Amino acid sequence: MALHLLLRVLCLCSALAVALPARPPSVTIGALFTFDSVIGSSAATAIQLAVDDINRDSTVLRGTNLSVLMQDTMCSGFVGTIQALELMEKQVVAVVGPQSSGIAHVISHVVNELRVPLVSFAATDPALTSSQYPFFVRAAHDDAFQMAAVADIVAHFGWREVTAVYVDNDYGRGGVDALGDALEALRSRISYKAAFPPGADRAALADVLVRANMMESRVLVVHVSPDTGLDLFAAAQTLNMMGSGYVWIATEWLAAAIDSSSSSTSRNKMMGLIQGVVTLRQYTPESDAKRSLERRFAAARPSSSTMNAYGLFAYDSVWAVARGIDAFLGDGGNISFSPDPSIRDANGSALRLSTLRVMDQGDQLLRKVMLANFTGVTGRVQFDAGTRALVGPAYEVLNVGGTGVRRIGYWSNTTRLSVSAPSTAIGATNGTPPSSQQQQLYSVIWPGDTTAPPRGWVFPNNGRPLRIGVPYRTTYKQFVSKDASAPDGVSGYCVDVFKAAVALLPYPVPASFVLFGDGVKNPSYGELVQRVADGFFDAAVGDISIVTNRTRVVDFTQPYVESGLVIVSAVKETSSNEWAFLKPFTPGMWAIIGAFFLFVGAVVWILEHRFNPEFRGSPRKQIVTIFWFSFSTMFFAHRENTVSTLGRFVLIIWLFVVLIINSSYTASLTSILTVQQLSTGIQGLDGLLSSNQPIGFQVGSFARSYMMEELGVPASRLRELAITDYADSLQRGPGNGGVAAIVDELPYVELFLSTNCQFRTVGQEFTKSGWGFAFQRDSPLAVDLSTAILTLSETGDLQRIHDKWLNPGTCSSQSTDAVSADRLNLNSFWGLFLISGVACFIALIIYFARILCQFCKYHGGGGGSDEAAFPDPERSLRRPARLSSIRDLMSFVDMKEAEARRAIRSRSGDRRLDRSIGGSSTSEGPSLSRPSSMSPV
């Protein structure tokens, strides 16, 4: 039985061996790169070491030998294409390389046609991720991520403009395009692109740098190849562009050049050229495999110090291809090639295109390569299915200083700038990417051996002054307008403020003032700002309001004048009538005041009646006293003195209330007889909007768009006016072709009202803004001038310029506040009346409680003896006596205090005598009456 089972197993294995094709004894891959380049010299050794390691590893390819054919592209697209075709003739199953993005673009068309996977370790042009190149796999990180890291560095130090210095090929243009997109996302931009052709000599590089140095930006991002980049820095040093004030940021090519320096002499010479430069290096975490490879690399190439990052990625690229081939063969894949009828030689051609073969299983092998997922010397190797590039991009941020480089931070697409190493786990994130304020870097030593971050820009030295637009005002020219006698052709308050602010800058700012407008009427300030946004003007100087729609297209400086829209209306004096003295208070307020005067007078009379002889007398005299005392307190002229404590307490509180009422009445009456002699039909913004009368606005002002868009005022109500027409239009009024009111900015209105006393502002400012100087977006001049304007304000120079141009007129002493006032009513004083009323009630309660206590003492004990003297049947006969008690109480209340006390003492003495006599009778009674009472008869 066991023998039978064994035979069946052997038969099954034989069948499987027949079904699965045998693994080929060897497979060949190709490698394309420039042998004598910085990248290629490192990649050549790394690729060979990878092939050797794969052939020694029994777990990969299992019996199939891997060989590699290397072809030198010589940094030429043409030569690279020829070399690629020669590789394809030898029927390689995959190609590692090329290192050049330009060559990769060309070769990708070849591998697409022949269906051979192309795995590049150094072609970083973002455009290669296009679906146009389905067989291109990037075993490195896309330049889009590297440029995002550069943009974050720029934003971290607050720079807004950079100059891009790059080689003018696919690699350079693709990287700079990605840099522009990354900067734009952070509200920065490339202000100048300094491109030079591949292979440019030192003179051509110097010429490019001279043009770049004429621009304002001093932040230069260098994106070139490592073979020519050092020549660029040598030219920069010759031009004194490696000193303080400059910022140099190099992409990862510089780190590769530093790592590949062959000797200490050449390394020290290199370091002398690039002091203070910030550069990037593709991040590869430390591991035993990486250290082992670097040791073997050093042994194989003693002339080179270390393996650069491109060599590490080339090593992992070969492993990714080998693992893909192993997986392909393990699934029963069979490598075969077949001719393509569309690829043939033309008549008489010696190119031998007909020898090229299409790999039949290229699609399957490509899928296996894309499924790679292992840990290599560069970290985790895994490809994104959409971009066909390595996932988890990360970079080291390095700073050149002394004889070496130091790491100042890291960048990854999850943590952005950080001083902590990024996680190498696939998909690992640290939550939401940090903002620019949360990103961190260690301190940087900048060119010129300084640690203070450079400003990053200077005024451009290109010989062209700033072209500044100035509104050609025809009215109120003291703000800004044409002045033929002035050196610049313009003058005014705004121009002087601008010149004073520029004088405070630490660098010269040559400017050319250009008038904007036809000189017939004031120009449109919205159009002036748009000219700045379009680049026709570099800036605009004048009475330009900072409003929302303008801030969307230009940058403004700090406001140098506070402004806002106000309403101006014609006013007329109203004569006071004989009853004007009643206007300060409403009728209800007058009634409450009169009632409280009588109430407080009555309370004081009650509290003083028993103590003060001035509050006693005949009923007629007492009523007159109440009225006299009540109303005389209004003028603090009461002649009656208060002697009781409660009376004084009530009077003090009431006199305080009277003081407040008198003061309020005086102030209100003064306002009515002076300021409020001015009256108008429109009292504020609400009245303006609710009416249907025409409204005027200044020519060119933003008030028109604001009233239409924000307040909903129809265009039919709006009248465009010159300031010289304000007075006439307001005086004529809406009935005679004029306007009911004018809406304009406060500085203009103040100047207008200073010479036109018959007009006033009504209501309050209903917008808050200011005047500022407009610059193109992200102009660093806007920031520096804002600081200068603040300095002018702090030193008082801004006010002195204001007083020079905007002197007050004859009406300056008159108030321009709103000409509206309300009559005083109970709502403003009910608290005072409440306090006074409560004080009166408390005093009355205390007073009557004291009276009742005294009355009880006066009649104490009397009720009990009466009830004992009469039996119950006779109590009904005593009820009329209660009326007598009430009369007694009223008489007691009307007594003087001294009389009441004497009566209480007298009654108390009588009661003590009665109790003494009554006690004696009681003790003798039983003995005298007892016999009779006990008699039965």
Side-chain angles (χ1 to χ4, degrees), residues 128-419:
L128 289 168
T129 59
S130 168
S131 58
Q132 181 184 5
Y133 310 114
F135 278 82
F136 177 83
V137 180
R138 197 195 317 268
H141 298 312
D142 191 337
D143 267 347
F145 296 107
Q146 180 179 205
M147 294 308 176
V150 173
D152 277 344
I153 294 172
V154 171
H156 178 74
F157 291 102
W159 300 312
R160 291 298 182 188
E161 295 185 355
V162 304
T163 294
V165 182
Y166 62 99
V167 58
D168 195 8
N169 57 16
D170 291 330
Y171 161 73
R173 289 189 298 270
V176 170
D177 288 343
L179 175 62
D181 293 339
L183 289 172
E184 186 176 354
L186 299 176
R187 286 205 62 187
S188 299
R189 67 188 182 98
I190 299 175
S191 60
Y192 181 70
K193 294 182 179 181
F196 58 89
D201 57 15
R202 184 76 62 85
L205 295 176
D207 183 58
V208 169
L209 290 178
V210 167
R211 291 197 300 270
N213 201 38
M214 295 173 66
M215 301 297 110
E216 64 182 18
S217 175
R218 286 294 179 265
V219 181
L220 296 98
V221 178
V222 183
H223 187 56
V224 298
S225 68
D227 301 288
T228 60
L230 294 177
D231 290 336
L232 183 74
F233 281 110
Q237 191 172 61
T238 303
L239 296 171
N240 296 321
M241 294 177 64
M242 296 302 297
S244 60
Y246 288 88
V247 177
W248 291 90
I249 302 175
T251 52
E252 57 186 347
W253 67 267
L254 182 58
I258 295 172
D259 293 339
S260 302
S261 55
S262 58
S263 65
S264 59
T265 303
S266 62
R267 182 181 180 87
N268 291 338
K269 182 180 179 181
M270 178 193 307
M271 291 299 172
L273 297 174
I274 56 176
Q275 289 294 302
V277 177
V278 174
T279 185
L280 299 175
R281 177 198 287 152
Q282 295 190 69
Y283 173 67
T284 56
E286 294 297 323
S287 64
D288 293 337
K290 177 182 175 182
R291 286 187 287 269
S292 174
L293 177 62
E294 289 175 341
R295 285 194 298 270
R296 290 187 290 130
F297 179 87
R301 293 180 56 88
S303 61
S304 182
S305 58
T306 57
M307 178 185 290
N308 59 44
Y310 293 106
L312 296 174
F313 282 98
Y315 181 87
D316 278 349
S317 299
V318 178
W319 271 94
V321 172
R323 289 178 181 274
I325 295 172
D326 181 60
F328 170 74
L329 297 176
D331 288 347
N334 184 27
I335 298 174
S336 62
F337 296 87
S338 59
D340 186 349
S342 62
I343 302 176
R344 61 183 184 273
D345 291 313
N347 294 332
S349 174
L351 295 177
R352 298 184 302 168
L353 295 179
S354 59
T355 61
L356 298 177
R357 294 290 183 268
V358 178
M359 184 176 177
D360 298 327
Q361 299 81 18
D363 292 330
Q364 295 92 319
L365 179 57
L366 176 65
R367 285 194 292 269
K368 294 301 182 182
V369 172
M370 288 294 298
L371 292 175
N373 190 353
F374 64 95
T375 301
V377 294
T378 60
R380 196 73 177 167
V381 178
Q382 185 177 353
F383 298 102
D384 181 85
T387 61
R388 303 182 306 282
L390 282 182
V391 299
Y395 295 86
E396 297 176 84
V397 184
L398 308 175
N399 180 212
V400 180
T403 59
V405 297
R406 65 187 184 95
R407 184 188 301 114
I408 59 174
Y410 300 89
W411 184 94
S412 72
N413 62 336
T414 55
T415 61
R416 312 303 286 266
L417 293 177
S418 173
V419 295

Side-chain angles (χ1 to χ4, degrees), residues 467-473 479-483 488-492 494-495 498 512-518 523 525 528 532 537 539-544:
R467 184 178 169 86
I468 298 178
V470 177
Y472 191 172
R473 289 194 61 88
F479 288 112
V480 61
S481 191
K482 179 180 179 180
D483 186 354
D488 299 311
V490 293
S491 65
C494 304
V495 175
F498 177 77
S512 172
F513 295 96
V514 180
L515 290 170
F516 178 76
D518 56 10
Y525 284 65
L528 174 59
V532 176
F537 292 125
V541 171
D543 46 337
I544 306 170

Side-chain angles (χ1 to χ4, degrees), residues 843-866:
L844 290 175
I845 291 172
I846 295 173
Y847 175 78
F848 283 115
R850 182 172 175 275
I851 292 294
L852 289 176
C853 289
Q854 288 181 341
F855 186 72
C856 290
K857 291 180 181 179
Y858 180 74
H859 283 284
S865 62
D866 291 341

